[in-house]
Amino acid sequence: MFEHIDAYPGDPILTLNENFAKDPRDNKVNLSIGIYYDEEGRLPVMRAVHEAETQMLAEPGPKPYLPMAGFAQYRDAVQSLVFGEDSPARADGRIATVQTLGGSGALKVGADFIKRYFPGSQVWVSDPTWENHRFIFERAGFSVSTYPYYDENSGGLKFEAMLSAIDALPARSVVLLHACCHNPTGVDLSELQWVTLIEVLKKRELLPVIDMAYQGFGAGIDADAFAIRELARQNVPAFVANSFSKNFSLYGERCGGLSVICESRDVAGRVLGQLTSAVRANYSNPPTHGAKIVARVLTTPALRQSWEDELATMCRRIVRMRAGIHDRLRGNVPNSLLARYLEQRGMFTYTGLSVEQVDLLRERHGVYLIRSGRMCVAALNEKNVGTAAQAISEIFAQATN
Ligand code: LMR
């Protein structure tokens, strides 16, 4: 019966992370998965999360199913954080939001919805993008192609090429974009570039899907949502997937949201209904615990302030570690590959290391990066940055000898 089932080669990120856990070496360093670790190399429990959980434990209650669309207070808090408290689109009731299983769950529910209502559309993702984007949309039945994005020579953006490729797409093509802290490159559009791109999205009647998994890790909580708020302000139909895995350090609780900017309140009601049906067909209804934590933190002023302060502190630590590895690599890696450690934003730096170099780093030195060359700088600390820099320097020294 099952003879024809082929072996799963594993996931380029999650399987690597599992392999890291099995690696017996003491001095191994995990810079693969997109997870923020603190200065001690621990996964932080944020103060506001801890406080919210403590309060929740003191008020035990029954655990019924949540509505299919999710916990109402959470959905409202998602909209407010993503679109802004005073968003006119929100006030007009033009945004349909469902609670989802993290950002991946949001993309899956969105992909199913789009496949049902835009069956002829194809999907376009940045070159490169997060590996799971392709998997999710292909499994939902789409053909997935790329538009130009990253310029390997400069470590920056190929904006003109990106714009003209998108400007040539058929109407209703799905264009997947990263709101901030592009994964894997750490290269984002400027506000001016977003405004220019939005003109093209409107003119060509394209369907943007904006993935925002790192809100607060780039230019700030509000600034990171610039593109989303601009789309909403201009009433451009769009899908927005957001996640609290990283900015709340709630990875395993699977807290995310999918919001759709609609033309009217009436349309938003019907879209919400069909998103709800996509949730029902996938997993019925979402889990409670993480959503209650997030909703409590975002709607309790003292907890909210504590969360914002701690997130800002985490970002400052990442910036320090960017400088830390940059300074240790100076003189050991080519200058053309060095500036990007400081310039790229969010959790990742796209190092320019080849697959072979990444494999050598892992096999010889126990330093794990994604094979694309993506390094999670948010996992560096004062104790491991020297080991990582030394290993990378040796790889480059070998290449030049
Ligand atoms: C990553 O990109 O490493 C994270 O978003 C984790 C994942 O699910 O791939």
Side-chain angles (χ1 to χ4, degrees):
M1 187 66 82
F2 299 134
E3 266 312 308
H4 62 292
I5 293 172
D6 44 352
Y8 178 45
D11 181 78
I13 300 175
L14 298 186
T15 306
L16 188 66
N17 192 51
E18 288 164 16
N19 290 344
F20 175 83
K22 292 181 206 145
D23 188 327
R25 287 173 285 186
D26 285 339
N27 61 346
K28 61 185 179 176
V29 181
N30 189 5
L31 307 178
S32 62
I33 194 163
I35 291 184
Y36 176 92
Y37 291 99
D38 67 14
E39 187 47 43
E40 302 305 318
R42 289 176 310 221
L43 193 65
V45 178
M46 295 181 81
R47 289 188 301 274
V49 167
H50 182 67
E51 176 56 30
E53 255 184 331
T54 309
Q55 293 176 8
M56 284 158 56
L57 277 174
E59 310 158 358
K63 301 202 185 301
Y65 290 126
L66 281 183
M68 293 175 284
F71 180 40
Q73 204 189 351
Y74 172 87
R75 292 168 48 221
D76 191 54
V78 165
Q79 274 195 6
S80 161
L81 188 74
V82 170
F83 292 90
E85 185 59 44
D86 303 325
S87 155
R90 195 166 119 71
D92 294 348
R94 286 194 285 108
I95 304 172
T97 299
V98 290
Q99 178 185 336
T100 59
L101 299 184
S104 301
L107 293 165
K108 167 67 176 147
V109 169
D112 285 355
F113 175 95
I114 298 170
K115 189 68 198 168
R116 180 141 189 232
Y117 289 98
F118 301 89
S121 292
Q122 297 193 0
V123 175
W124 298 79
V125 299
S126 59
D127 177 21
T129 193
W130 181 48
E131 285 83 344
N132 212 23
H133 282 149
R134 178 178 285 280
F135 298 150
I136 289 173
F137 280 92
E138 282 181 350
R139 285 290 171 96
F142 289 99
S143 106
V144 178
S145 313
T146 57
Y147 56 81
Y149 191 83
Y150 183 68
D151 185 348
E152 180 49 46
N153 293 326
S154 67
L157 184 64
K158 282 183 185 162
F159 184 63
E160 290 309 321
M162 170 188 185
L163 202 62
S164 44
I166 292 176
D167 202 357
L169 297 180
R172 288 157 195 239
S173 295
V174 176
V175 183
L176 201 147
L177 298 152
H178 302 229
C180 60
C181 308
H182 183 270
N183 179 3
T185 67
V187 173
D188 290 335
L189 275 69
S190 69
E191 293 192 354
L192 194 61
Q193 288 170 330
W194 275 118
V195 171
T196 311
L197 175 62
I198 288 171
E199 281 310 308
V200 172
L201 295 171
K202 281 196 311 196
K203 182 182 77 176
R204 307 283 316 180
E205 296 181 17
L206 302 173
L207 265 180
V209 174
I210 315 288
D211 189 1
M212 181 160 66
Y214 297 90
Q215 186 177 12
F217 282 97
I221 291 169
D222 292 320
D224 287 347
F226 173 81
I228 294 165
R229 295 179 186 186
E230 194 56 24
L231 287 163
R233 192 184 67 76
Q234 297 192 35
N235 206 1
V236 183
F239 295 77
V240 179
N242 80 292
S243 164
F244 296 110
S245 296
K246 331 277 176 177
N247 56 15
F248 268 73
S249 193
L250 277 178
Y251 303 87
E253 296 291 354
R254 311 310 294 136
C255 296
L258 175 66
S259 300
V260 186
I261 305 169
C262 302
E263 292 99 319
S264 67
R265 177 185 287 269
D266 181 46
V267 171
R270 282 182 276 133
V271 168
L272 180 64
Q274 291 302 340
L275 294 177
T276 302
S277 105
V279 168
R280 176 65 166 154
N282 272 300
Y283 50 84
S284 261
N285 43 54
T288 316
H289 189 71
K292 292 218 157 159
I293 296 173
V294 171
R296 190 176 285 247
V297 170
L298 290 179
T299 59
T300 310
L303 295 182
R304 167 90 179 228
Q305 191 59 54
S306 158
W307 169 69
E308 288 189 14
D309 292 347
E310 194 168 353
L311 182 57
T313 307
M314 286 156 67
C315 292
R316 284 196 293 274
R317 205 191 73 74
I318 296 177
V319 170
R320 278 203 308 282
M321 293 328 302
R322 285 188 175 282
I325 188 141
H326 170 272
D327 295 352
R328 286 172 176 84
L329 289 176
R330 208 184 347 232
N332 296 325
V333 311
N335 277 341
S336 58
L337 293 180
L338 203 56
R340 57 194 70 181
Y341 286 86
L342 298 179
E343 285 160 6
Q344 297 175 348
R345 286 204 308 190
M347 284 199 181
F348 305 118
T349 284
Y350 213 46
T351 59
L353 289 163
S354 66
V355 172
E356 294 74 28
Q357 288 173 316
V358 169
D359 287 348
L360 276 180
L361 263 179
R362 187 181 63 254
E363 285 157 15
R364 293 214 184 134
H365 303 277
V367 175
Y368 283 60
L369 268 61
I370 302 300
R371 293 185 89 209
S372 65
R374 187 191 83 172
M375 172 193 287
C376 180
V377 281
L380 286 170
N381 57 50
E382 290 298 340
K383 294 195 193 89
N384 67 19
V385 64
T387 312
Q390 175 71 28
I392 294 172
S393 303
E394 280 180 30
I395 296 288
F396 275 102
Q398 263 168 16
T400 47
N401 282 340

